[in-house]
Amino acid sequence: MPLIHQSSYANYPKWLFNGHLETIVPSIFRKIEGVNYFRERISTPDEDFLDLDWSRVGSDSLLVISHGLEGSSERHYAKALAKLFNQQGIDALAWNNRSCSGEMNKGPILYHHGATYDLDTVLQHVENKHAYQSIYLVGISMGGAQTLKYLGEKGLELNSKIKKAAVYSTPCNLPDSAATLRWKKNSFYKKRFLEKLKAKMKVKGQQYPDLVDLELLEQVQDFDTFDTHFTAKLHGFKDANDFYHGVSADRHMPTIQIPTLIINALNDPLLYDRCFPVKIAEKSTNIFLEMPKRGGHTGFQVKGQEFTWAEMRFLDFLLKDAQ
């Protein structure tokens, strides 16, 4: 029962005194210098493309980083993990979900929390083109959900080179995470995500006029409407609820077969109830669940340090121990 009851997160900046500040301040102001990616474009089985950003140091081990909703390889958390693991002699690969690399993808679909088919394409490419001996998967927020779902789907058939995984600020249960965007106190996050996604959907509608109702898109003010009429429609689901339940990671987590760390802060404004999968962790020998009281959503800053506590925790878990 690998529940970690006493989190080691400490020495956080006192002025970040609630989950919203811990979430918003790093998202806007944190910068990571010194990461110079090499970009590789690969094809998907449905004749689209994915952009992979590499930071190599000549290792036989690789860290694969999956970013969050409307994020990319350029986000501070992706660059920080690449830099931190490069310093430890580990190559890093931050892959970009469709439409997230700075160029709209070609196909009719975009991406979502359950888009493990694209993560699988990335990992198949790594296996076919590179001779890594050890691979570690990490994910942040949505990327964490993709990672957990992928590991559960693969189960015993997972590539044996994939040794461990770690995720943080992860909506393990998508219906409960989606519910937080209906709360008035989270209107900032709802507006920010919705504006970005509507802008992308407008471009997709210009590519595929028969698939996207641009007039309806202009009227959308909430995620239930957006996900019912656009996300669900494009990706083969009946409506928003069918989509949320259909792609939720916790449906697959019980079959994860490798040591996997989940860090979710109890004051994360975008996580609720079943996003803290205590019962699943209690029954698993592979899921290590750590729930710090502080940290916000993709926060976890430490006073005077370049790297966050969560990033250092990933390093310890993946390379040094299983706790």
Side-chain angles (χ1 to χ4, degrees):
M1 298 190 297
L3 272 175
I4 301 170
H5 293 283
Q6 188 66 40
S7 176
S8 62
Y9 182 35
N11 200 29
Y12 42 79
K14 295 293 192 295
W15 63 277
L16 299 179
F17 53 82
N18 63 37
H20 294 293
L21 286 173
E22 290 179 298
T23 299
I24 295 169
V25 171
S27 178
I28 296 175
F29 296 107
R30 188 184 182 211
K31 306 297 180 186
I32 299 295
E33 304 294 339
V35 177
N36 299 306
Y37 289 130
F38 166 78
R39 174 157 290 186
E40 179 184 20
R41 177 164 291 185
I42 64 173
S43 298
T44 64
D46 61 346
E47 301 182 344
D48 211 331
F49 67 88
L50 295 171
D51 285 332
L52 282 51
D53 287 327
W54 293 85
S55 183
R56 294 188 179 123
V57 291
S59 177
D60 64 357
S61 297
L62 175 68
L63 183 78
V64 177
I65 305 165
S66 298
H67 65 76
L69 183 69
E70 279 307 281
S72 73
S73 61
E74 292 294 327
R75 291 296 286 150
H76 61 90
Y77 51 70
K79 284 191 165 182
L81 284 166
K83 183 175 184 178
L84 177 62
F85 278 76
N86 282 172
Q87 289 177 355
Q88 300 298 315
I90 308 294
D91 285 0
L93 165 58
W95 71 282
N96 296 276
N97 278 269
R98 302 184 192 212
S99 79
C100 293
S101 64
E103 181 179 338
M104 180 56 66
N105 66 305
K106 298 185 295 184
I109 63 173
L110 286 167
Y111 71 95
H112 56 73
H113 287 68
T116 51
Y117 41 83
D118 282 342
L119 177 55
D120 187 57
T121 296
V122 171
L123 293 171
Q124 289 285 352
H125 173 76
V126 169
E127 175 66 15
N128 293 336
K129 300 294 184 180
H130 302 276
Y132 288 108
Q133 298 302 306
S134 298
I135 299 172
Y136 306 97
L137 305 186
V138 297
I140 298 87
S141 192
M142 179 199 73
Q146 291 173 331
T147 300
L148 294 175
K149 182 171 176 281
Y150 176 81
L151 293 173
E153 288 172 339
K154 288 294 183 181
L156 292 170
E157 297 179 356
L158 184 72
N159 184 341
S160 62
K161 292 181 181 179
I162 301 175
K163 305 300 184 182
K164 293 182 184 178
V167 305
Y168 70 79
S169 300
T170 293
C172 298
N173 180 271
L174 190 54
D176 279 1
S177 179
T180 68
L181 293 173
R182 303 184 192 111
W183 300 344
K184 186 175 181 180
K185 63 182 179 180
N186 281 346
S187 58
F188 170 82
Y189 311 112
K190 181 190 77 170
K191 182 179 179 181
R192 188 180 186 191
F193 284 134
L194 203 53
E195 285 179 350
K196 291 183 177 182
L197 288 166
K198 285 175 65 176
K200 280 190 177 177
M201 194 61 69
K202 184 176 180 178
V203 176
K204 190 57 63 180
Q206 292 166 350
Q207 289 179 311
Y208 295 91
D210 294 338
L211 286 180
V212 178
D213 185 338
L214 292 176
E215 186 174 335
L216 175 61
L217 181 65
E218 290 296 323
Q219 301 172 25
V220 170
Q221 299 295 323
D222 63 83
F223 265 98
D224 288 329
T225 304
F226 180 83
D227 285 332
T228 289
H229 294 285
F230 299 97
T231 309
K233 181 180 177 182
L234 257 62
H235 297 98
F237 297 91
K238 182 175 66 175
D239 55 23
N241 286 332
D242 184 43
F243 164 64
Y244 298 150
H245 287 279
V247 305
S248 192
D250 57 354
R251 298 177 57 196
H252 305 275
M253 285 164 49
T255 51
I256 290 176
Q257 300 295 317
I258 61 171
T260 300
L261 174 67
I262 301 173
I263 297 172
N264 280 347
L266 293 173
N267 72 341
D268 189 322
L270 297 176
L271 302 183
Y272 178 65
D273 198 12
R274 290 175 293 176
C275 292
F276 302 93
V278 173
K279 292 182 180 179
I280 294 175
E282 286 176 338
K283 295 177 181 179
S284 172
T285 57
N286 291 307
I287 294 175
F288 294 77
L289 177 61
E290 186 161 354
M291 299 177 289
K293 294 180 181 179
R294 300 281 303 267
H297 191 77
T298 70
F300 303 107
Q301 289 196 291
V302 179
K303 285 191 293 186
Q305 300 296 318
E306 178 178 19
F307 301 111
T308 69
W309 167 80
E311 290 155 4
M312 296 301 297
R313 185 75 180 88
F314 275 18
L315 188 68
D316 286 341
F317 181 86
L318 295 175
L319 301 188
K320 299 179 182 179
D321 58 45
Q323 297 209 8

